[in-house]
Amino acid sequence: MRYFDIYLLKEAIAELYVGKEDLLYGLFMEAVRERNPRRKVILKRQVHFISEPIAPSLFQRLFSHQSASRAMENQFTITLKDGSQATLIFDHYISLEASGNLGAEAAVFEGLRKYNPYFFVVDYQNDCGAWLSPQKKHLLNHRQFVL
């Protein structure tokens, strides 16, 4: 089983933290693992400040063509023909649990990548975090249109 947390960062934050993924990962990791209740509340507020809420309706729009089922109001499961499965739980962010080969999680990542370039994925098992879309390329393209 593979576990990921996926955050939709605000555009201004994404632009500031290109190349500083380790700082973002550190914040998300600390917010999850902090044991002091007061400090945990502060860290959660920081995470909410830099990220946008992700609505379950997004999942319905992006993955209506897939074999998806809704277990609860904020939980969906995708099962592909190859047997791979991904369960997504929506809060202010997405918790993704994937099993089998990489097909279902790849489908989720690709759908999110096409929807918005500011998704940041945290992989606590492998102790890393990364953008779903390459930010430098996106920001260069964005700045060309602005000029």
Side-chain angles (χ1 to χ4, degrees):
M1 189 75 78
R2 296 170 304 279
Y3 301 95
F4 305 94
D5 284 346
I6 305 168
Y7 297 87
L8 177 56
L9 296 186
K10 294 177 181 176
E11 182 177 356
I13 299 299
E15 289 177 2
L16 286 172
Y17 283 88
V18 170
K20 300 175 186 173
E21 292 79 8
D22 56 331
L23 294 175
L24 288 171
Y25 173 75
L27 172 64
F28 297 128
M29 174 67 85
E30 198 174 349
V32 168
R33 296 197 174 154
E34 180 61 49
R35 294 185 190 266
N36 180 315
R38 286 180 146 178
R39 182 146 166 74
K40 190 170 190 83
V41 167
I42 292 169
L43 291 166
K44 291 287 186 182
R45 285 182 184 160
Q46 290 176 342
V47 168
H48 279 124
F49 181 77
I50 68 168
S51 60
E52 302 281 352
I54 304 171
S57 58
L58 166 66
F59 182 80
Q60 289 176 312
R61 287 193 311 267
L62 292 177
F63 302 103
S64 60
H65 64 284
Q66 302 284 349
S67 174
S69 63
R70 186 175 201 158
M72 293 182 275
E73 185 175 323
N74 67 335
Q75 182 176 331
F76 292 88
T77 300
I78 295 177
T79 305
L80 298 183
K81 292 177 184 175
D82 64 8
S84 63
Q85 187 173 19
T87 300
L88 293 89
I89 301 170
F90 290 82
D91 193 354
H92 190 81
Y93 59 95
I94 299 172
S95 289
L96 171 66
E97 297 179 8
S99 62
N101 69 31
L102 303 177
E105 80 188 56
V108 169
F109 289 160
E110 187 60 31
L112 293 174
R113 184 180 295 122
K114 288 178 182 178
Y115 172 74
N116 191 307
Y118 304 120
F119 281 104
F120 190 81
V121 179
V122 179
D123 180 352
Y124 299 110
Q125 291 171 312
N126 293 309
D127 201 30
C128 63
W131 301 102
L132 277 183
S133 297
Q135 290 304 300
K136 288 182 182 178
K137 178 182 174 187
H138 171 73
L139 291 174
L140 286 174
N141 290 339
H142 178 71
R143 288 187 180 128
Q144 286 174 353
F145 291 117
V146 173
L147 299 175

